[in-house]
Amino acid sequence: MTDIDQPVEELSQDECWSLLADGEFGRLAYRLVDEVHLVPINYLVDSGALLFRTGSGNKLLAAALHSDVAFEIDWHDDLAAWSVVVRGELHRLQEDEEHRVDGLAHQPWILTPTPDVVELRPTVVTGRRFRLRRPEPDHELV
């Protein structure tokens, strides 16, 4: 079978977690009351969960409500792409658990106070690899 015959391939759990561990930036989607929010976050992987820092605001409220969320990272070039989606619940870590981000290579990108650590506890992790169509050669008009 050629790549064209299999344009979409499911990623294994190990592949998904490897891509998540190699990444540091993704998009978090969550619902508060009747609004869906989609925000960029930088994160790290720790013991089968995703951790990120935040200050007071909607993400912290979503964590207090143990909101169901979706998180996505992805990548592409001219010939291939992949996407990993994590679904789960947010939980604010207690002070005695916040040490989990200590010593890990994780620096916020934006210099705003982010004293709280939030954990995304996954219930489902899925991923796909895509083989993109090769570009058609340019046809010159004669």
Side-chain angles (χ1 to χ4, degrees), residues 24 41-47 49-53 91 93 97-102 104 106 117-121:
E24 62 181 290
I41 62 169
N42 58 317
Y43 71 96
L44 57 88
V45 171
D46 179 58
S47 302
L50 303 180
L51 302 178
F52 64 92
R53 288 190 170 278
H91 298 267
L93 293 186
E97 295 179 286
E98 290 181 358
H99 69 278
R100 291 172 55 191
V101 295
D102 294 344
L104 297 173
H106 180 254
V117 179
V118 175
E119 177 183 43
L120 191 170
R121 296 179 186 168

Side-chain angles (χ1 to χ4, degrees), residues 85-102:
V85 174
V86 178
R87 296 184 199 289
E89 284 187 354
L90 293 183
H91 298 267
R92 181 181 171 275
L93 293 186
Q94 299 302 312
E95 284 185 32
D96 64 338
E97 295 179 286
E98 290 181 358
H99 69 278
R100 291 172 55 191
V101 295
D102 294 344

Side-chain angles (χ1 to χ4, degrees), residues 24 48 58-59 72 76 102 111 134:
E24 62 181 290
N58 286 340
K59 291 187 295 286
E72 181 190 36
H76 75 91
D102 294 344
L111 299 176
R134 289 185 174 37

Side-chain angles (χ1 to χ4, degrees), residues 6-136:
Q6 292 291 327
V8 179
E9 173 189 351
E10 297 290 325
L11 297 175
S12 70
Q13 290 291 297
D14 287 343
E15 289 172 304
C16 290
W17 281 106
S18 178
L19 292 169
L20 286 163
D22 288 344
E24 62 181 290
F25 180 78
R27 288 162 302 283
L28 179 71
Y30 58 95
R31 178 183 294 278
L32 282 179
V33 188
D34 60 351
E35 289 185 345
V36 174
H37 298 259
L38 180 64
V39 295
I41 62 169
N42 58 317
Y43 71 96
L44 57 88
V45 171
D46 179 58
S47 302
L50 303 180
L51 302 178
F52 64 92
R53 288 190 170 278
T54 191
S56 61
N58 286 340
K59 291 187 295 286
L60 199 55
L61 178 57
L65 297 172
H66 302 285
S67 294
D68 291 329
V69 299
F71 175 80
E72 181 190 36
I73 63 170
D74 53 30
W75 169 90
H76 75 91
D77 66 13
D78 291 340
L79 300 176
W82 55 257
S83 174
V84 175
V85 174
V86 178
R87 296 184 199 289
E89 284 187 354
L90 293 183
H91 298 267
R92 181 181 171 275
L93 293 186
Q94 299 302 312
E95 284 185 32
D96 64 338
E97 295 179 286
E98 290 181 358
H99 69 278
R100 291 172 55 191
V101 295
D102 294 344
L104 297 173
H106 180 254
Q107 293 295 321
W109 288 7
I110 300 173
L111 299 176
T112 58
T114 55
D116 296 296
V117 179
V118 175
E119 177 183 43
L120 191 170
R121 296 179 186 168
T123 54
V124 177
V125 178
T126 60
R128 292 191 175 112
R129 181 175 293 114
F130 308 95
R131 285 166 186 69
L132 307 178
R133 289 189 314 170
R134 289 185 174 37
E136 297 290 328

